[in-house]
C-alpha cells in the first residue's frame, strides 16, 4: 500500500478537519542539522490509527492550521522519545502539544525497558523487526522514494497500534498520572530555549580543570553557543571542544600566544582572535568558586551514597522499574554531598 505524500496545500487542508476529530494522533518528524544550529524540518508524519501520511514542509506549504491541530488539547498527541520533535515544534511555533503521550516514558513506567528505543519497543510489543537501513536517509533530498516514505510512515503507523495498550496498562497500574506529569515537564518550552550561560554543562571532563580554567571554558562555551545561534551554524563549527579546552587550559593573553597554540583555523583567528583574548581575560579575573568540584568523597559521604543507592534500588525493584528512571547517578552523588540543599 502506497503512503500518501502531502505536498500541496489542498491535500493538507483536506486532512486537517479529520485529524482534528481523531481520538488521538501519532506523530514523528524527520530532520537534518549537520550543518546548522537549528534543525531543518524535512518531513512530518501523522497517523490517526486508521491511516498515515507524510507531509512535505519543504514544499512551501502554510502549516499554520496543521500546527493548530497538533497543539489542540482535546486529544492525545503520541510521540516516542519526543524531545527532538518538541524542540523543532517549539522552534517553529513557540508551543508544544498540551496533551502529550510519550511511549518511551510509558515503557519505562511499565518496566518494559529504560530509555527504550522505538525499534526495540515495536519488536517487543508487535513482533515487527524494523529495517534500520533507511535510518540515515538524507531527508532533505527530493524526491523521496516510495520505500523511504513507507519507512517514515511506519513510525506513526506502529505508534498508533502500540499507544492504546500502553495507556490502558498505565491506567490499570495507577501510573497514567505519572506519565502525564513527566510529559508536561518534557513539553515545557523553557527546556528547549538556548541558554548560553548553561552551555558549560555540555562539556565533558570539566572537573579536571582548575577553577580559573573552568570559568574560561564556560565563557567560551557561552560565546560559541551565542554565535552559533546567530549564524545558524553548529557549535563545533564555531569552536570545537578540543580547541575550547586548549584555550581554557593555556589562556593565551596576546594574539601571538593564541596563534602559537595552533588550536584555531586562520579564518577563526582573523575574525575572532581579539574577541577570544578579551573573553579569556575577563573570565580569568572572576573570583567565583569552581563550577564543578572533583574532590574525592570522604568515608561519611561514601556511606551516605551507599545508603541512597540501596534505597533507590529497593524502591525501583518494588515498583518494577529501572532505578535510573527515579534518579541518575549524578543526582544521587549530589544528594550524598549536599543533602537537602542538593540542586537536583
Amino acid at each position: 500500500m502506497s503512503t500518501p505524500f502531502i505536498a500541496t496545500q489542498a491535500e493538507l487542508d483536506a486532512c486537517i478537519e479529520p485529524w482534528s476529530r481523531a481520538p488521538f494522533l501519532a506523530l514523528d518528524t524527520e530532520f537534518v542539522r549537520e550543518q546548522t544550529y537549528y534543525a531543518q524540518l524535512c518531513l512530518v508524519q501523522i497517523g490517526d490509527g486508521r491511516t498515515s501520511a507524510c507531509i512535505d514542509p519543504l514544499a512551501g506549504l502554510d502549516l499554520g492550521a496543521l500546527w493548530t491541530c497538533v497543539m489542540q488539547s482535546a486529544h492525545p498527541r503520541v510521540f516516542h522519545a519526543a524531545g527532538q520533535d518538541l524542540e523543532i515544534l517549539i522552534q517553529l511555533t513557540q508551543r508544544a502539544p498540551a496533551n502529550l503521550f510519550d511511549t518511551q516514558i510509558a515503557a519505562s513506567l511499565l518496566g518494559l525497558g529504560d530509555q527504550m528505543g522505538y525499534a526495540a519497543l515495536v519488536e517487543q510489543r508487535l513482533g515487527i523487526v524494523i529495517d534500520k537501513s533507511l535510518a540515515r536517509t538524507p531527508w532533505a533530498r527530493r524526491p523521496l522514494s516510495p520505500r523511504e516514505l513507507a519507512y517514515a510512515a511506519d513510525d506513526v503507523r506502529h505508534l498508533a497500534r502500540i499507544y492504546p495498550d500502553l495507556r490502558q496498562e498505565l491506567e490499570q497500574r495507577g501510573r497514567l498520572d505519572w506519565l502525564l506529569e513527566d510529559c508536561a515537564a518534557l513539553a515545557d518550552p523553557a527546556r528547549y530555549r538556548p541558554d548560553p550561560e548553561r552551555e558549560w554543562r555540555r562539556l565533558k571532563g570539566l572537573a579536571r580543570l582548575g577553577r580559573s580554567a573552568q570559568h574560561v571554558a564556560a565563557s567560551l562555551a557561552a560565546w560559541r553557543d551565542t554565535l552559533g545561534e546567530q549564524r545558524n551554524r553548529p557549535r563545533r563549527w564555531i569552536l570545537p571542544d578540543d580547541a575550547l579546552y586548549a584555550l581554557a587550559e593555556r589562556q593565551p593573553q596576546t594574539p601571538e600566544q593564541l596563534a602559537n597554540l595552533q588550536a584555531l583555523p586562520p579564518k577563526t583567528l582573523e575574525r575572532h582572535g581579539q574577541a577570544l583574548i578579551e573573553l579569556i581575560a575577563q573570565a580569568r579575573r572572576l573570583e567565583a568558586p569552581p563550577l564543578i568540584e572533583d574532590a574525592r568523597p570522604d568515608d561519611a559521604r561514601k556511606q551516605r551514597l551507599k545508603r541512597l543507592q540501596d534505597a533507590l534500588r529497593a524502591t525501583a525493584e518494588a515498583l518494577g522499574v529501572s532505578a535510573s528512571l527515579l534518579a541518575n547517578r549524578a543526582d544521587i552523588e549530589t544528594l550524598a554531598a549536599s543533602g537537602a540543599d542538593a540542586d537536583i
Side-chain angles (χ1 to χ4, degrees):
M1 182 176 66
S2 62
T3 299
F5 183 56
I6 297 174
T8 69
Q9 196 66 47
E11 291 171 326
L12 178 60
D13 292 345
C15 294
I16 298 299
E17 198 275 332
W19 283 340
S20 297
R21 290 186 287 102
F24 68 88
L25 291 179
L27 296 108
D28 191 27
T29 63
E30 305 296 346
F31 57 89
V32 295
R33 71 183 315 163
E34 287 78 10
Q35 301 182 21
T36 57
Y37 180 95
Y38 289 110
Q40 179 189 15
L41 182 63
C42 298
L43 205 64
V44 181
Q45 304 100 283
I46 295 186
D48 60 9
R50 297 177 297 105
T51 62
S52 58
C54 296
I55 302 163
D56 185 6
L58 303 181
L61 307 179
D62 180 354
L63 302 178
L66 173 66
W67 300 141
T68 298
C69 172
V70 169
M71 300 302 168
Q72 71 177 23
S73 60
H75 305 295
R77 300 308 186 224
V78 183
F79 294 81
H80 184 84
Q84 291 184 318
D85 304 298
L86 294 178
E87 180 182 357
I88 295 172
L89 292 180
I90 291 167
Q91 169 193 324
L92 294 173
T93 71
Q94 312 305 311
R95 295 182 294 163
N99 195 344
L100 176 68
F101 188 104
D102 190 317
T103 54
Q104 186 179 69
I105 296 175
S108 296
L109 291 172
L110 292 170
L112 301 178
D114 183 40
Q115 299 293 306
M116 178 175 277
Y118 166 75
L121 181 62
V122 169
E123 184 173 0
Q124 184 182 111
R125 303 295 289 191
L126 302 179
I128 296 173
V129 177
I130 293 176
D131 178 6
K132 296 182 181 180
S133 65
L134 297 175
R136 296 193 177 276
T137 294
W139 295 107
R141 172 180 45 77
R142 295 294 184 271
L144 294 168
S145 71
R147 186 163 168 254
E148 290 166 340
L149 290 172
Y151 170 86
D154 278 347
D155 286 350
V156 293
R157 186 178 297 120
H158 298 327
L159 273 187
R161 291 181 58 191
I162 291 170
Y163 158 71
D165 289 341
L166 290 182
R167 187 181 186 97
Q168 183 179 32
E169 291 172 32
L170 287 169
E171 290 175 340
Q172 290 171 347
R173 299 180 65 173
R175 297 183 180 183
L176 181 59
D177 286 345
W178 298 5
L179 175 129
L180 297 178
E181 182 180 353
D182 282 356
C183 285
L186 184 64
D188 181 0
R191 292 174 63 112
Y192 305 95
R193 296 190 186 109
D195 187 358
E197 297 309 312
R198 293 176 66 85
E199 273 298 303
W200 62 268
R201 295 177 181 271
R202 293 177 180 267
L203 299 176
K204 307 298 183 184
L206 193 66
R208 65 178 170 80
L209 301 182
R211 181 196 64 80
S212 175
Q214 286 187 16
H215 286 286
V216 172
S219 295
L220 293 171
W223 172 82
R224 75 173 178 182
D225 186 70
T226 299
L227 194 60
E229 182 189 8
Q230 290 172 352
R231 298 187 173 187
N232 196 24
R233 290 292 182 264
R235 297 172 183 87
R236 68 183 185 278
W237 285 20
I238 304 298
L239 186 66
D241 277 0
D242 57 352
L244 185 151
Y245 278 114
L247 268 60
E249 291 174 330
R250 301 290 293 277
Q251 300 181 14
Q253 300 179 49
T254 67
E256 292 74 22
Q257 291 177 354
L258 181 60
N260 288 338
L261 281 181
Q262 297 184 347
L264 302 175
K267 286 187 177 180
T268 303
L269 278 172
E270 181 182 349
R271 294 172 182 170
H272 306 299
Q274 188 59 42
L276 289 170
I277 290 170
E278 293 172 2
L279 193 71
I280 291 168
Q282 292 172 5
R284 281 166 56 93
R285 292 194 291 268
L286 290 175
E287 297 296 335
L291 296 168
I292 299 178
E293 294 281 3
D294 195 24
R296 294 183 179 275
D298 57 23
D299 289 342
R301 191 194 299 183
K302 290 179 180 178
Q303 292 174 5
R304 288 196 298 274
L305 178 60
K306 184 179 185 307
R307 290 197 298 270
L308 286 166
Q309 289 173 327
D310 290 344
L312 178 64
R313 280 192 293 268
T315 303
E317 288 174 5
L319 293 172
V321 299
S322 168
S324 62
L325 178 66
L326 306 180
N328 60 40
R329 182 174 178 83
D331 285 343
I332 293 298
E333 290 177 345
T334 303
L335 191 60
S338 304
D341 296 326
D343 180 16
I344 58 173

